[in-house]
Amino acid sequence: MVTPDEAKHRAATAYNAAADLFDAPELGFWDYHGRRTIDRLGLRPGARVLDLCSGSGASALPAAERVGPDGFVLGIDLAERLLTLARAKSAKRGLTNIEFRTGDMLDLGLPAASFDAVVCVFGIFFVPDMAQAVRELWRLVRPGGKLAITTWGRDFFEPADSLFWDTVRSVRPDLYKGFNPWDRIDDSIGLRAMLAEGGIREAEIHAENYSHPLKSPDDWWTIARGCGYRGTIDLLSLEEQALIRESNLGLLREGKVSGIEASALYAIAVKQC
């Protein structure tokens, strides 16, 4: 069992390293699902929003645009290099109602019921005890406010995902991962059960099918190095990286793969007064 401190260290290390490619055009699914999450919240001008696991601002920035100058968005992430990207983008857009801080979602030190909306896109599964994280996020939602959690759906990054991990296993079996942390909540049944364990009995869950296009197989290696898989890649020698890359891209070319699975589940719960 991975401890919370180990999970935090792994996530921060992987995503700080991935920051150099995190905003590459090939990884457009971050912005797509971030904006789709905010669209579903129906934020009003003047609202206060907490955005956890903010990354480079895929959901925090559109939230700030929605709530307007009288509202406020606080974005928090473990990876400071991603937050540096987010701050630069918010400055470029002229947003003065948003702040980004490095922090841990389980130790925020924020008062209860202090936000109209709490958002966590592709981040709840980085905590070993997801139900504990949900309880903490729910505590911060004011009565009448909303909690939005977005997670990956089934067959994440397939068919490239299986190719990647099968090749890692053949080259460095010690780094092979047969289970992803989001696998527990990659359908509505699992997600609803986790939310209930965290104290949320009623939530609207919407599953969206989405295939992320690849202009060429080479896009896949940019994606792998710009997401959490970077943590594994950086543990490989340069020779091992080259072997896995060429094997992956060769198989994708043979299969004439033009897209990868990037479906998501959006859960929104309203806190009753």
Side-chain angles (χ1 to χ4, degrees):
M1 180 69 176
V2 177
T3 68
D5 284 344
E6 289 172 336
K8 285 189 293 184
H9 176 72
R10 291 180 185 180
T13 299
Y15 282 93
N16 274 320
D20 58 353
L21 291 170
F22 193 85
D23 279 342
E26 293 85 350
L27 287 88
F29 44 78
W30 300 132
D31 285 338
Y32 175 83
H33 287 302
R35 187 168 290 279
R36 293 284 284 172
T37 301
I38 298 306
D39 287 345
R40 293 180 178 281
L41 268 176
L43 294 173
R44 295 180 179 180
R48 287 177 53 84
V49 180
L50 174 63
D51 186 77
L52 296 165
C53 303
S54 272
S56 65
S59 47
L61 296 173
E65 291 169 345
R66 291 292 180 88
V67 303
D70 293 329
F72 174 69
V73 177
L74 174 60
I76 294 178
D77 199 283
L78 289 168
E80 177 60 31
R81 289 190 65 200
L82 291 184
L83 295 181
T84 298
L85 297 175
R87 293 184 188 107
K89 288 194 284 188
S90 66
K92 186 175 182 179
R93 297 186 191 190
L95 296 172
T96 59
N97 61 343
I98 190 167
E99 177 185 347
F100 291 100
R101 300 179 193 166
T102 306
D104 171 13
M105 75 167 79
L106 296 181
D107 187 24
L108 295 169
L110 297 170
S114 52
F115 293 92
D116 298 293
V118 175
V119 180
C120 186
V121 179
F122 303 137
I124 198 73
F125 41 70
F126 287 120
V127 178
D129 188 343
M130 289 186 275
Q132 178 190 2
V134 167
R135 284 190 289 271
E136 172 60 11
L137 273 56
W138 196 230
R139 180 185 71 83
L140 298 169
V141 180
R142 67 162 182 81
K146 297 178 180 179
L147 171 65
I149 292 177
T150 300
T151 187
W152 295 114
R154 287 277 176 90
D155 299 324
F156 173 70
F157 279 178
E158 293 294 3
D161 183 75
S162 293
L163 297 178
F164 176 80
W165 289 110
D166 285 349
T167 314
V168 168
R169 180 166 51 183
S170 69
V171 174
R172 284 285 302 276
D174 57 308
L175 298 180
Y176 174 74
K177 296 177 183 177
F179 175 81
N180 289 312
W182 50 83
D183 289 350
R184 264 186 60 199
I185 55 172
D186 67 359
D187 61 24
S188 59
I189 294 174
L191 180 54
R192 198 175 297 279
M194 186 274 290
L195 292 172
E197 188 181 351
I200 298 176
R201 299 295 173 182
E202 294 185 15
E204 178 185 334
I205 296 177
H206 176 79
E208 180 182 19
N209 293 324
Y210 177 69
S211 178
H212 183 70
L214 299 180
K215 292 181 179 178
S216 76
D218 297 87
D219 287 358
W220 164 243
W221 197 247
T222 300
I223 291 170
R225 294 180 65 238
C227 72
Y229 291 10
R230 182 65 170 269
T232 297
I233 292 171
D234 282 357
L235 293 174
L236 299 163
S237 69
L238 293 179
E239 292 78 12
E240 290 167 340
Q241 289 182 33
L243 180 61
I244 290 172
R245 178 185 183 278
E246 291 310 310
S247 176
N248 272 210
L249 300 190
L251 291 169
L252 291 173
R253 291 187 187 103
E254 286 179 20
K256 298 181 179 178
V257 174
S258 60
I260 54 174
E261 183 64 44
S263 296
L265 287 89
Y266 306 91
I268 295 181
V270 179
K271 196 168 194 177
Q272 300 304 314
C273 299

